[in-house]
Amino acid sequence: MMGALSHLRVLDLSRVLAGPWAGQLLADLGAEVIKVEKPGEGDDTRRWGPPFLKDKDGRDSKESAYYLSTNRNKRSVAIDITQAAGQDLVRKLAAQCDVVLENFKVGGLAKYGLDYASLKAVKPDIVYCSITGFGQDGPYASRAGYDFLVQGMGGLMSLTGEQGGEPMKVGVALTDIFTGMYASVAILAALAHRDRTGQGQHVDMALLDVQVAVLANQASNYLVGGVIPERLGNSHPNIVPYQAFPTADGHVILAVGNDTQFQRFCGVAGCPALAEDARFATNAARVKNRDILVPLLKANMASRPSAQWIEMLEAVGVPCGPINNLAQVFDNPQIRHRGMVAHMDHPVSGSVDLLANPIRLSETPVTYDRAPPQLGADTMDVLSTLLALDQETVNALSADGIVGVSS
């Protein structure tokens, strides 16, 4: 079955997470994504373990779980871009592609003749996406950017953690992932423009820009209200009660979104008078008086086990749920039904389980055609197919260290 983007070819010069995440999303939707890596080393994340994928004999392979998480459906071509012959190969490949994706430091590819201006010269309608920490201009443009650093600089850590406690990063590299997703959307927008006008363009994505953008309502709270938001732990700045509560045997998330739901909660919890109290009858009043209300609710919630609360609240349409660990997540019947684990064949291990793509398209569904590639696994095929190089030529390039070919 043809994918939604099967008419597109992407040259992916990126590594680690934000760029590869964008490339994997495009690949999942059908684009041919050619991942260019350094011979002998490849993407840094190949070595970011343990855990590593086990081979068929139970031994660690050279592919970490981290690398596997973000490089599905791609082809790996190992080319040394520090050598003139390698740069020439990349330029020729770019001429056969619709998109180039890279996350080198600002100006880092210009010395190799692989920057936007250079590749535009060989492919005028190219869509060239650069992902950096701080963007192509501005006082921080030359700095290296990392997710953890940007979560701090971009305000997310000031909002995350217990009230009065230490600032906390989010448990996954959320800024990198959001940047990859925004980059994918930007690339598709640029391609839509190209298809109408014939013009390519440079897409400039910055981790810091994205982190600030996804502050969403918290940023709006500050811009509109003028008050700097503080850490509230699991509480919500604009909705009460909307947090985790201790129960008799664990915790339950209570997510009351409106006054009617609060009334139903109070009825089930055996405290209907709270819903009639002027201090708590409306959400605005509950936010104002959260310091009074929340301790009352905590005492009540601690009286029953989590499963009983969930059963009672779901029966009356009050949003609630457990706090699952990852074993519980992947054993959850809804997650299993929705197929959120992709089972893929793999040449080293025999098979590998990966997170599935959450996009559901009725006519052009996501497919899982290629496990994350071994370093240089597709060098010969890509160079012979797209650049018409014969085996002898590729062997000579390999002997000179310009390309790497998987054994």
Side-chain angles (χ1 to χ4, degrees), residues 53-239:
L53 184 68
K54 300 290 186 182
D55 65 18
K56 295 173 184 177
D57 296 319
R59 297 170 299 196
D60 282 349
S61 72
K62 296 180 180 179
E63 296 179 7
S64 71
Y66 198 117
Y67 165 78
L68 294 169
S69 74
T70 189
N71 286 288
R72 173 180 60 232
N73 284 333
K74 302 178 186 179
R75 309 169 81 189
S76 173
V77 176
I79 300 177
D80 185 355
I81 66 170
T82 66
Q83 299 193 55
Q87 297 157 18
D88 184 57
L89 288 174
V90 173
R91 280 190 290 271
K92 289 178 178 177
L93 287 174
Q96 302 294 320
C97 292
D98 302 280
V99 177
V100 171
L101 180 61
E102 61 93 4
N103 63 349
F104 285 74
K105 290 182 181 179
V106 173
L109 288 176
K111 61 185 176 182
Y112 303 132
L114 301 177
D115 57 316
Y116 174 58
S118 298
L119 295 189
K120 182 181 178 182
V122 300
K123 186 73 161 58
D125 65 347
I126 196 74
V127 170
Y128 188 105
C129 180
S130 297
I131 297 176
T132 57
F134 303 100
Q136 297 294 305
D137 49 34
Y140 294 176
S142 62
R143 295 188 184 184
Y146 296 90
D147 178 276
F148 187 14
L149 173 67
V150 173
Q151 283 196 36
M153 294 181 70
L156 184 61
M157 290 178 64
S158 77
L159 306 172
T160 307
E162 290 298 324
Q163 188 171 20
E166 180 182 2
M168 287 285 171
K169 69 178 180 66
V170 179
V172 295
L174 205 62
T175 307
D176 274 336
I177 291 170
F178 268 121
T179 302
M181 294 177 69
Y182 268 103
S184 301
V185 173
I187 287 167
L188 294 177
L191 288 168
H193 175 75
R194 181 206 66 175
D195 291 345
R196 291 194 307 271
T197 67
Q199 293 180 321
Q201 59 184 298
H202 190 192
V203 178
D204 174 9
M205 297 298 309
L207 269 66
L208 184 60
D209 294 351
V210 170
Q211 178 54 78
V212 173
V214 300
L215 293 175
N217 62 296
Q218 289 280 41
S220 188
N221 289 344
Y222 169 71
L223 294 173
V224 173
V227 177
I228 299 173
E230 298 179 352
R231 290 185 294 283
L232 294 173
N234 288 317
S235 301
H236 195 288
N238 304 110
I239 311 171

Side-chain angles (χ1 to χ4, degrees), residues 29 48 130 194 198 222 249 283 303 315 340:
L29 294 171
W48 283 11
S130 297
R194 181 206 66 175
Y222 169 71
D249 63 350
N283 182 68
S303 66
M340 283 306 299

Side-chain angles (χ1 to χ4, degrees), residues 344-381:
M344 302 188 71
D345 294 334
H346 193 281
V348 171
S349 63
S351 65
V352 61
D353 288 346
L354 301 174
L355 277 175
N357 190 308
I359 295 174
R360 300 291 187 271
L361 298 172
S362 64
E363 302 303 321
T364 53
V366 167
T367 58
Y368 304 99
D369 299 322
R370 293 174 178 269
Q374 295 176 272
L375 178 60
D378 304 289
T379 301
M380 184 66 225
D381 184 46

Side-chain angles (χ1 to χ4, degrees), residues 264-332:
R264 292 201 296 266
F265 164 77
C266 290
V268 166
C271 52
L274 290 180
E276 304 300 325
D277 191 316
R279 296 172 299 173
F280 314 130
T282 66
N283 182 68
R286 292 192 294 275
V287 171
K288 181 179 179 181
N289 294 294
R290 74 165 75 223
D291 291 343
I292 302 172
L293 176 60
V294 169
L296 298 175
L297 299 184
K298 282 186 175 180
N300 194 314
M301 295 290 288
S303 66
R304 294 184 176 94
S306 299
Q308 187 177 352
W309 275 118
I310 292 171
E311 181 180 3
M312 293 168 58
L313 294 174
E314 284 186 345
V316 295
V318 175
C320 63
I323 299 175
N324 291 330
N325 61 36
L326 292 198
Q328 292 167 324
V329 167
F330 290 111
D331 194 44
N332 183 280

